[in-house]
């Protein structure tokens, strides 16, 4: 029997829209199947912070693949132990335990389960415009109605409060609250930067009510905002920290980091077959070394500071607001983002949206300054044209 040829549109959920096909990459450059070069300003959705094929990660994957690809979590593996210790070494000393999974949404699911179990409470307070993933628990914390409604009823006892409104948050976090879950900078919701006052109020409300504070740093983590972890900007340390995306240099991984005290209160079990597999841990170890060795958080801060004045100069008749930190920017237009993105793509720059009217820039932290400036210039041209 001859095999059927691959069909365009065979992937679930993507059949209606023709998409650019990317065949390979190098650094912040992505190449289409017909060889055209593009600059990645967000095409890897923040998971490609180290670029398309980070050499140290490639080497680590190659070596680990030839050594041991998979091992269940019932066994110790030297590379997993080394990765866990390396990650903890980059975090404040209160953090002592890590649950490893395969994606951002799983990192959030684990946090919700840990918080409910450890506190014996049902309620989760999340934020309007927040995004935490698409499996049912994470989706229950996600705000956007069109993402939630087709799948209702979702998990009960999730409520949403306004982002950057300390009073509303303080009123919502009570003695029934297990977890207050938020992004220190909201990403998918349009790039909104949490104020230090709001984040400090979040910590205080949790301490007062005996709830756990969870920061979803799936998008902001690992240097993106100009600090290795976005919570460092405010100094507010959560009880649960969720990481994924760029943590293993583009290899699927999720991590839920917590304290020994929280673990001691946890009842029940949580597990993942592939979570913490040696291949992802080897990639993660090489990725963490690269973030630190190449000072990529500092680089994000420096390139972000270059972007600020350029983006502030965009015409007010086209742009409602510009928000961002490090190499994470949202440009809220007065009109739809799609035509501007299409013009940028035709110009060789791949940016993404965050909702209908926000252009989002999430370039690899290794982007060459000339490509970054080129991207800002392409955006400026596309906004003027669109
Ligand atoms: C803040 C945040 N949390 C969770 C997720 C879900 O991550 P994943 O797509 O890996 O499940 C995302 C994805 O964009 C995210 O930005």
């Amino acid at each position: 029997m001859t095999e059927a040829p691959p069909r365009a549109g065979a992937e679930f959920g993507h059949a209606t829209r023709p998409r650019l096909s990317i065949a390979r990459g190098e650094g912040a450059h992505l190449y289409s199947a017909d060889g055209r070069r593009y600059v990645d300003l967000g095409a890897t959705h923040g998971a490609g912070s180290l670029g398309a094929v980070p050499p140290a990660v490639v080497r680590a994957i190659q070596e680990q693949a030839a050594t041991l690809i998979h091992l269940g979590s019932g066994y110790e593996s030297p590379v997993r132990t080394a990765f866990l210790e390396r990650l903890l070494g980059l975090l404040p000393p209160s953090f002592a335990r890590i649950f490893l999974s395969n994606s951002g949404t799983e990192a959030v699911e684990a946090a919700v389960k840990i918080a409910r179990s450890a506190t014996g409470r049902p309620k989760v307070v999340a934020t309007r415009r927040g995004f935490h993933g698409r499996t049912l628990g994470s989706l229950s914390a996600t705000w956007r109605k069109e993402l939630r409604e087709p799948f209702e009823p979702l998990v009960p006892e999730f409520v949403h409060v306004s982002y950057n409104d300390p009073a509303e948050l303080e009123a919502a976090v009570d003695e029934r609250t297990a977890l207050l879950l938020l992004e220190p900078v909201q990403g998918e919701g349009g790039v909104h930067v949490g104020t230090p006052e709001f984040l400090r109020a979040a910590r205080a409300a949790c301490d007062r009510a005996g709830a756990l504070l969870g920061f979803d740093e799936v998008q902001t983590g690992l240097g993106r905002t100009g600090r290795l972890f976005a919570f460092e900007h405010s100094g507010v340390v959560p009880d649960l920290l969720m990481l994924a995306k760029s943590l293993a240099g583009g290899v699927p991984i999720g991590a839920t980091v917590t304290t020994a005290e929280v673990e001691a209160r946890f009842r029940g079990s949580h597990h993942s077959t592939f979570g913490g597999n040696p291949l992802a841990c080897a990639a993660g170890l090489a990725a963490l070394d690269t973030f630190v060795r190449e000072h990529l958080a500092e680089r994000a801060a420096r390139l972000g500071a270059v972007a600020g004045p350029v983006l502030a100069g965009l015409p007010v008749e086209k742009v409602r607001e510009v928000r961002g930190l490090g190499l994470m920017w949202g440009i809220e237009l007065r009109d739809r983002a799609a035509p501007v993105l299409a013009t940028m793509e035709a110009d060789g720059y791949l940016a993404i949206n965050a909702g209908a009217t926000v252009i989002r820039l999430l370039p690899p932290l290794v982007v060459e300054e000339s490509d970054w400036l080129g991207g800002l210039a392409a955006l400026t041209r596309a906004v003027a044209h669109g």
Side-chain angles (χ1 to χ4, degrees):
M1 215 176 87
T2 52
E3 231 180 273
R7 252 178 336 119
E11 189 184 353
F12 188 85
H14 287 293
T16 53
R17 190 164 54 94
R19 291 180 299 167
L20 179 65
S21 175
I22 298 292
R24 66 183 185 89
E26 192 180 356
H29 295 152
L30 297 171
Y31 294 85
S32 61
D34 57 7
R36 179 155 189 224
R37 192 182 87 171
Y38 294 87
V39 175
D40 172 15
L41 297 180
T44 51
H45 280 245
S49 288
L50 297 180
V53 283
V57 174
V58 171
R59 270 195 308 278
I61 293 170
Q62 285 170 337
E63 281 167 24
Q64 190 60 47
T67 308
L68 183 66
I69 294 177
H70 180 66
L71 180 72
S73 62
Y75 299 88
E76 290 287 344
S77 112
V79 68
R80 182 159 61 218
T81 305
F83 171 63
L84 293 172
E85 280 173 4
R86 187 83 174 96
L87 180 54
L88 282 182
L90 298 172
L91 286 163
S94 57
F95 289 116
R97 298 288 188 273
I98 303 173
F99 174 77
L100 290 175
S101 54
N102 314 286
S103 64
T105 198
E106 285 174 82
V108 174
E109 292 287 341
V112 170
K113 285 179 73 175
I114 291 169
R116 278 188 164 179
S117 161
T119 60
R121 300 171 175 190
K123 183 171 159 185
V124 176
V125 178
T127 58
R128 300 205 174 98
R129 287 192 314 247
F131 183 90
H132 300 285
R134 293 167 184 262
T135 53
L136 287 175
S138 309
L139 187 61
S140 305
T142 290
W143 168 248
R144 259 170 60 202
K145 196 166 139 218
E146 64 275 23
L147 301 183
R148 299 161 53 90
E149 255 182 14
F151 309 105
E152 287 176 346
L154 297 178
V155 180
E157 303 262 10
F158 280 66
V159 300
H160 292 84
V161 296
S162 300
Y163 195 72
N164 277 341
D165 183 337
E168 206 180 313
L169 177 148
E170 275 153 22
V173 176
D174 57 20
E175 67 291 339
R176 295 185 71 255
T177 305
L179 176 67
L180 169 57
L181 175 64
L182 53 90
E183 300 153 87
V185 180
Q186 290 184 320
E188 302 295 312
V191 187
H192 295 268
V193 182
T195 63
E197 301 72 49
F198 179 63
L199 300 173
R200 279 197 290 271
R203 181 70 273 174
C206 287
D207 291 345
R208 173 184 45 73
L212 299 180
L213 177 62
F215 281 174
D216 179 345
E217 292 228 32
V218 165
Q219 194 162 133
T220 54
L222 286 311
R224 168 69 51 201
T225 67
R227 305 295 291 263
L228 204 49
F229 303 99
F231 70 74
E232 293 175 47
H233 291 285
S234 65
V236 173
V237 179
D239 305 297
L240 287 150
L241 176 70
M242 288 132 267
L243 302 168
K245 287 205 187 278
S246 66
L247 178 58
V251 173
I253 194 166
T256 310
V257 190
T258 192
T259 64
E261 292 72 32
V262 169
E263 190 201 36
R265 291 160 63 196
F266 178 73
R267 300 284 170 268
S269 70
H270 191 55
H271 180 255
S272 157
T273 294
F274 285 119
N277 72 80
L279 198 66
C281 288
L285 192 54
L288 290 179
D289 283 343
T290 308
F291 280 111
V292 173
R293 191 182 56 245
E294 297 187 5
H295 305 287
L296 292 179
E298 292 83 342
R299 186 178 166 77
R302 188 173 64 74
L303 293 181
V306 173
V310 178
L311 295 173
L314 289 171
V316 288
E317 62 278 13
K318 303 270 187 177
V319 174
R320 198 180 295 279
E321 196 174 38
V322 171
R323 303 175 288 264
L325 204 56
L327 283 177
M328 182 171 181
W329 288 91
I331 298 95
E332 184 168 342
L333 305 177
R334 296 188 186 278
D335 212 336
R336 287 172 50 245
V340 175
L341 292 173
T343 305
M344 289 179 73
E345 180 178 315
D347 215 359
Y349 294 89
L350 303 178
I352 51 174
N353 68 316
T357 57
V358 177
I359 309 256
R360 190 164 30 139
L361 305 179
L362 291 177
L365 311 188
V366 296
V367 66
E368 292 294 338
E369 187 161 346
S370 55
D371 280 333
W372 178 231
L373 293 175
L376 297 173
L379 170 70
T380 306
R381 282 193 298 277
V383 166
H385 170 273

